[in-house]
Amino acid sequence: MTQLALQQYLIVGAIMFALGLIGFMTRRNLIVMFLSTELMFQGVTVNLIAFGHYHNNLYGQAFTIFVLVVAAAEASLALGLVVLLFRTKNTLDADAWRELKG
């Protein structure tokens, strides 16, 4: 991989991360916030794979698999919490979480 190709992958990863961050900060719907978080994760994984390939080792790919497994676990927990909130409040607004107390 050349230096230019690495920069292109890093730019794509940074754009994906920035779009996810903007979506997370500007939206109040929990599903959109959740998808924005996943977009940020994917931006980071693109960068990890690009760096791993650039340095000719498999650590980036291995760490990406680990991140994807953690993201899958996080997705299952987040979707469970979103369904629970929707059943109790009938809304997906993030401000409804402030009223929940354990």
Side-chain angles (χ1 to χ4, degrees):
M1 178 184 290
T2 64
Q3 183 78 21
L4 181 62
L6 176 65
Q7 290 176 353
Q8 291 170 345
Y9 282 112
L10 294 179
I11 289 171
V12 169
I15 289 171
M16 290 173 66
F17 188 85
L19 288 175
L21 185 63
I22 290 169
F24 186 81
M25 298 299 284
T26 59
R27 298 298 185 115
R28 302 305 315 156
N29 187 329
L30 289 174
I31 297 294
V32 175
M33 292 172 72
F34 171 70
L35 291 175
S36 298
T37 305
E38 292 298 320
L39 188 61
M40 287 191 285
F41 268 129
Q42 298 307 316
V44 170
T45 58
V46 166
N47 288 341
L48 287 174
I49 291 172
F51 275 124
H53 187 68
Y54 181 73
H55 292 291
N56 290 327
N57 62 26
L58 297 176
Y59 294 131
Q61 287 90 348
F63 194 67
T64 298
I65 292 172
F66 176 74
V67 168
L68 290 177
V69 169
V70 170
E74 175 258 335
S76 65
L77 287 174
L79 286 176
L81 289 173
V82 167
V83 169
L84 176 69
L85 179 70
F86 186 74
R87 284 184 181 172
T88 57
K89 300 285 183 180
N90 282 336
T91 182
L92 290 176
D93 189 17
D95 291 332
W97 284 100
R98 294 182 184 169
E99 298 173 5
L100 294 179
K101 295 191 179 181

